[in-house]
Amino acid sequence: MRCPAHKRGKEPSVSSDVSVAVRFYPPPEDLRRYFTTFYHTVISTPGDAPVHDALHPEWAGLRFFAGGSPVAEIEGCPRLTGAQFVASGPTTRATRFTLGSTRLWGVGLLPLGWARFVRQSAASLANQVVDGDSHTSFARFAPLARRLCEAPGDPQAELAQLIAFFRNLPQARETDEARIQAIHAAVIDPMISSVSELVDHIGFSQRTIERLTTRHFGFSPKQLLRRQRFMRSLAQYMLDPSLKWIGAIDWTYHDQAQFVRE
């Protein structure tokens, strides 16, 4: 996270006066197939000065702010300001944001969670960040937003409320559940590097896979595989920066030039 005094041309650093406390909570067993994680974050900055950061490409997410709200932007999409309930579809681009002192809850939605709880085409919200309070796709989360965007409370009690909300949310049976999970497992398999390998591995027709990934994952199978190998490269670099990019790029890239292009 960049400190408020960051200037172009200098290495970003975090001011000692900026406090960021994050705690991750694994979803309970009965909800685990729907969510990546639940997390609680408290950010304190001197004089409420803004900090700047970016989120890497990810699955869809819900974020509920009590305090300052972010200025968030994905390249090519409208900038979002003033929203206490920020919702995003799955992304293949960085989400850049500016944020002052605040407290927030985050919910990461896996493709099956999107299918079960949002029920809209993920492609229609891919690479978008929107005001969840006013967007029809997220209207059913309004009661949860009202609870979590209030004045700070007890995180454990709020976590219990969050879990209870999703357990009690009316659900229609997702008839494609098994196929969504099979596609998801194949997309994140590091040994699968092409759409043809994906089709052979899963055993569904390419047309069926494309229909399901567009609706529930937000992108075509080819885009998902490209995103996944980039994320593997990024994760490797973050775990061991001494490798430099040339040592961290995923084995499925033909060469460094292809990695740079993508």
Side-chain angles (χ1 to χ4, degrees):
M1 186 170 289
R2 295 178 182 176
C3 69
H6 173 72
K7 296 182 179 180
R8 187 181 301 274
K10 294 185 178 181
E11 284 296 315
S13 60
V14 179
S15 166
S16 60
D17 295 328
V18 176
S19 170
V20 181
V22 185
R23 184 162 186 181
F24 294 89
Y25 300 91
E29 185 62 36
D30 61 312
L31 296 177
R32 198 156 294 172
R33 63 189 184 277
Y34 303 123
F35 302 100
T36 58
T37 188
F38 304 139
Y39 59 94
H40 182 258
T41 303
V42 178
I43 300 174
S44 299
T45 66
D48 205 26
V51 293
H52 311 279
D53 206 348
L55 300 172
H56 56 62
E58 59 181 7
W59 297 121
L62 312 173
R63 294 177 174 90
F64 307 94
F65 294 83
S69 59
V71 176
E73 187 174 19
I74 299 176
E75 182 181 358
C77 299
R79 176 178 295 181
L80 178 67
T81 61
Q84 297 297 124
F85 170 22
V86 176
S88 58
T91 58
T92 56
R93 305 171 190 164
T95 303
R96 303 189 182 280
F97 66 89
T98 299
L99 186 61
S101 296
T102 195
R103 180 186 69 97
L104 73 95
W105 276 99
V107 175
L109 284 166
L110 291 169
L112 185 59
W114 180 277
R116 177 59 63 93
F117 296 111
V118 182
R119 303 181 191 165
Q120 303 291 326
S121 171
S124 68
L125 284 160
N127 286 324
Q128 292 189 49
V129 57
V130 301
D131 185 341
D133 280 323
S134 60
H135 199 287
T136 56
S137 295
F138 303 99
R140 65 198 321 236
F141 305 116
L144 180 62
R146 284 194 293 270
R147 295 174 200 169
L148 298 182
C149 293
E150 293 174 350
D154 174 25
Q156 290 298 326
E158 291 175 336
L159 176 64
Q161 286 185 318
L162 192 158
I163 291 171
F165 176 85
F166 283 107
R167 280 179 172 160
N168 297 325
L169 197 64
Q171 303 173 14
R173 178 169 175 77
E174 178 48 63
T175 57
D176 285 323
E177 179 168 330
R179 291 194 287 187
I180 293 171
Q181 289 183 298
I183 293 171
H184 188 185
V187 164
I188 64 175
D189 186 339
M191 301 309 294
I192 296 176
S193 60
S194 68
V195 175
S196 61
E197 291 176 357
L198 186 73
V199 171
D200 290 344
H201 180 82
I202 299 175
F204 308 155
S205 70
Q206 182 168 335
R207 183 175 180 179
T208 295
I209 294 173
E210 289 175 347
R211 175 179 64 82
L212 291 171
T213 59
T214 298
R215 177 161 183 79
H216 303 302
F217 295 68
F219 304 101
S220 70
K222 183 176 181 179
Q223 287 175 299
L224 290 170
L225 290 171
R226 288 176 64 182
R227 183 186 77 164
Q228 201 62 35
R229 68 180 176 185
F230 173 76
M231 292 308 302
R232 287 197 297 268
S233 302
L234 178 59
Q236 184 65 28
Y237 178 79
M238 291 173 69
L239 288 170
D240 187 1
S242 68
L243 291 173
K244 303 189 184 300
W245 281 114
I246 188 62
I249 61 175
D250 193 69
W251 69 274
T252 57
Y253 288 104
H254 297 302
D255 51 32
Q256 186 178 8
Q258 183 189 20
F259 172 76
V260 172
R261 286 196 304 273
E262 292 193 1

